Amino acid sequence: MPFEPLTQYPDHLALEEDVLAWWDDEAIFDRLRERNSGGPTFSFMDGPITANNPMGAHHCWGRTLKDVFQRYKAFRGFDQRYQNGFDCQGLWVEVGVERSLGLNSKREIEEYGLAEFNERCKERVAEFAEIITEQCRRLGMWMDWDNDYYTFSDTNIEYIWRFLKECHARGWLYKGHRSVEWCPRCGTSLSQHELINSYEELTHPSLYVRFPIKGREGESLVVWTTTPWTLPANVAAAVKPDAEYGLTGEGDWWAVERKADAAFVRRVRGEELVGLEYEGPFDSLPAQQGVVHRVIPWDDVTLSEGTGIVHIAPGCGKEDFELSRVHDLPVLMPINEAGLFYESYGEFEGRSTEDVEKPVVVELERRGRIVEAGSIIHRYPVCWRCATPLVFRIADDWLIRADEIRQPMLDANATVKWTPDFYSKRMDDWLRNMDDWNISRRRYFGLPLPFYPCNSCGRITVIGSVSELRERATGGLDQLKELHRPWIDEVPIACECGAEVRRIQEVGDAWLDAGIVPFSTLGWQNPEWIERGYATGAAAGLTGADLPDHAYWEKWYPADWVSEMREQIRLWFYSQSFMSVTLTGRSPYKSVLTYEKLLDEHGREMHRSWGNSIDAAEALQNIGGDVIRFMFCEHVPSQNLKFGYAPAGEIRRRLLTLWNSAKFFVDYANIQGFEPGGEAPSELQPLDQWLLERTEQLVAEMTEAYERYWTPALTRSFESFVDDLSNWYIRRSRRRFWAGDEVALWTLWHALVRLVQTIAPVMPFLADFLWRTLRADDAPESVFLQPWPDVRQTDAGLLAEVAEVRRVVELGRQARGDAGLKLRQPLRRLVVQGAGPAQAHADEIAEELRVKEVEFGPVDATELRVKPNLPVLGPKLGKELGAVRAALQAGKFEQLEGGGVRVNGRDFTSDEVIVERGAREGWALAEDHSLTVAVTTELDDELRREGRVYDLTHRLNTMRKEAGLALTDRVQVVVQESDADLLEYEDRIKDEVLATEIVVGKVTEPQITKA
Ligand SMILES: [Zn+2]
Ligand SMILES: [Zn+2]
């Protein structure tokens, strides 16, 4: 049966849709899983993607890497789980729903109703889970799509409850009364890991304000602040005890260092100011009644900005709050959860921190308290979800102590193999610096924290499972449709003291949801396998995932491999590890592949609002899965990736060489009626032997790259092989294909099927398409059902030999190109210096480079050119320079040891002259570190005539193609009279263009007609 002919160019998009439909129709993935079932296991754990939006182009990066290595492991016969995960609750989803409903505060959510709000959140998750699934399929990702895990399932929640109960049992759980970063729009505090990378350049006021010192008429402390809204909550001013402070003629106290040009009338050390009382900026506010404002000492006062005197408002700043504990200062908290002023703040009541900026300044101005008012642009933290600038509030949050788990987590991380390996240190750094884990959020659609503090006895009960909840509940169970608010809030429990207690209202940090999945999805400590047992609560109906039993967990835990972006070090890699080390003392993953950020093709961050972001749907529609995947794979993962249509087009162009090679094979194989399959023929020529070895080398290189999760080596090996295949093997074997040589056809076929298979994990569509075109009848229908080829020892000598020949040829081309001599122009002589095994291939080199003679030996085609180094020699020589320059130009110089030269009896050092090695007149030269190749550039009549013969055959062959002739069609040729002299080479021309006859005619350009 002939091979299906290939079109001139691949239509990637149409081809991919065809392959996708074919995979479905033939259930290729199911058959693959069936084949590998019961084999050795490869455990991959998917980090959940938030089902809150369609995928962005950046999501395709991780999804590509995950699929590449799962496909490779499947080739190797590994049994795998293929479970995809969706992150379903927490702020992402809530804010998405708020926007779609037009709600903009917590009050509005509560008015809308928690039960309804919960339903909308679930609908949103279901909607986007479906969209994401479709996009992943289009990218070529093979997963068990009907059995995803959804982190809002009751089962997932129960597993987190168990973890929290364990933390409580170890005494790690506590309620912190602290100053925290707070988003006034979301109405909740944020955790350490939510703050990194969420800074923006913002413009804020910059105010220098006077605090008049009591009992010292005319003297004031001057403080600097960029947050005027905190001034109504001022209770103290801090100075650096050992710094010098000065009093200006205007009566203002500053740190001397901050006002160096001032003429101070008095100077004291900071400690001498400590204890002074001053008038606060807003003493008349009800909230300020009874507050005594004093100067306090603080070693950390900075002298690099401000005035060296710091305004302290313990209710509005982290360090301020710490100082309030040391100095027993009153804590005034001016704003509520929504960031609005409380009523004890007089005219500011009900206004936002931004709204009070102006009245604060106006009022202080009126009282002559402003020294200077301007503005400042600085980096300021914003909410990672809604971009609202954060403020500080004092809040009661629930935290898990990190100190005891820190070292065990570091130990666990030491067992993990990170790729690239330096990320291991990044993880260590994060672990060494991690604060206690703030796990509570004052929100609605999230993990209900199962904490029941008792007001009567002070005990905190932590519920660890649904059955425990049922046992302890004093009511409300019949309305508990799932473990979410509002229903869970209606189930009080009995405290051990007998009192009825209610759950705290807070929900959990979403990273608890994702961090527990190595337990919740694998059935840790679950006595009996429960079918569809994971599909509980909010996840019911969305997935068919089972809750496996403990034996299954033993089999699949820990994951052999996980892969997520670097940011996940402080997120999923961290939360997973925290929970796993707590529960099992082990790392949840053995190896990690991580990668950096996706930027636009000009290297800017992608933002929807900048109009430069590309979402996954758009990328898949316009670029297609294979090219996107190739782009991610060839990229070094520790660098940011520039994604866009131009780089994609470049890859598509490069991939043409593979297509053209396959098409070349198919065309000639069909002419010959070649039957694929079988073993290597016995009468292999040296070039065939080389290609077989080169193919084995490809298999070895690709296998090694997959084994170490290093995709850039995959695409590099692939491209270098394609280049060897097309630009050496096929190029050098053309005549054999024209003659229908079966040995050459077999060798090329074999190389192509191996190539297609080894790149298949990277480009599954194109690979399977070509496999189906090329495969032997007895081979599996899909490349993915074909076992991975064995890695064989290769003939390193032979490979090195041809590699060197190719280098010589490459340098020869380069030399010709530099001299402006096109490859069709034959040349007289080529000299190669430094070649080893390539010496046995003089004929091939001569043919490839169109030279008459090839010599191996020292290249005597260079000369030294020496020029004066003008900036150095100019001033030194003055008028003499001209003479030296002329002598150098004329070559009248002597080389000295150390790189210098002697000219006109004077010595110059290597710094004083510029020495260049160049080709001598009549030669062109190219070299790399060990090889030098030189060609003569002079042409004689014979060479010129031969050059014209090559031009003519090239032209005729182009005409053949343009006329749409079949490869085997013969032609008659008429050439111009001016080319009559070329008939000296008639036979050669006939051969090259499949001509039956060549005649000279009165034509203005050559003509061909089908014979
Ligand atoms: Zn927010
Ligand atoms: Zn109690």
Side-chain angles (χ1 to χ4, degrees), residues 629-667:
R629 294 170 66 115
F630 195 93
M631 192 183 324
F632 288 126
C633 285
E634 75 173 347
H635 184 75
V636 172
S638 53
Q639 295 164 6
N640 290 336
L641 184 146
K642 294 178 188 170
F643 186 90
Y645 292 119
E650 168 65 15
I651 290 171
R652 204 178 297 121
R653 192 188 58 69
R654 274 151 54 202
L655 291 176
L656 273 179
T657 314
L658 166 64
W659 184 267
N660 291 340
S661 303
K663 177 170 168 52
F664 179 90
F665 166 79
V666 167
D667 289 347

Side-chain angles (χ1 to χ4, degrees), residues 195-236:
L195 292 169
I196 295 172
N197 297 338
S198 50
Y199 282 72
E200 276 180 15
E201 302 250 302
L202 295 179
T203 304
H204 278 144
S206 165
L207 280 191
Y208 291 84
V209 181
R210 285 193 186 99
F211 291 172
I213 300 175
K214 288 190 174 173
R216 291 201 188 178
E217 198 61 29
E219 287 183 29
S220 292
L221 304 162
V222 178
V223 301
W224 176 66
T225 182
T226 58
T227 51
W229 68 270
T230 61
L231 287 168
N234 171 273
V235 301

Side-chain angles (χ1 to χ4, degrees), residues 669-723:
N670 280 344
I671 292 168
Q672 188 57 25
F674 172 80
E675 289 285 337
E679 296 298 310
S682 49
E683 57 287 356
L684 293 174
Q685 297 194 9
L687 201 57
D688 303 328
Q689 225 132 28
W690 166 76
L691 184 61
L692 291 189
E693 287 304 314
R694 186 67 184 83
T695 307
E696 293 303 327
Q697 185 186 31
L698 170 76
V699 171
E701 284 175 1
M702 297 293 268
T703 305
E704 194 260 353
Y706 283 116
E707 288 295 332
R708 63 186 175 102
Y709 302 109
W710 194 245
T711 56
L714 292 173
T715 53
R716 206 168 45 233
S717 289
F718 165 79
E719 292 208 292
S720 130
F721 184 83
V722 170
D723 182 53

Side-chain angles (χ1 to χ4, degrees), residues 915-950:
V915 181
E916 288 167 343
R917 207 158 92 99
R920 235 168 48 205
E921 188 65 34
W923 290 84
L925 185 88
E927 51 193 337
D928 67 11
H929 44 283
S930 60
L931 274 175
T932 307
V933 174
V935 283
T936 50
T937 55
E938 227 166 291
L939 302 179
D940 51 39
D941 287 347
E942 189 196 351
L943 291 174
R944 284 201 189 89
R945 200 174 318 121
E946 263 193 85
R948 287 169 51 220
V949 170
Y950 284 114

Side-chain angles (χ1 to χ4, degrees), residues 3 674-681 746 749-750 753 774-779:
F3 297 93
F674 172 80
E675 289 285 337
E679 296 298 310
W746 188 91
W749 170 78
H750 174 79
V753 293
L774 298 171
R775 75 181 177 92
D777 286 343
D778 57 353

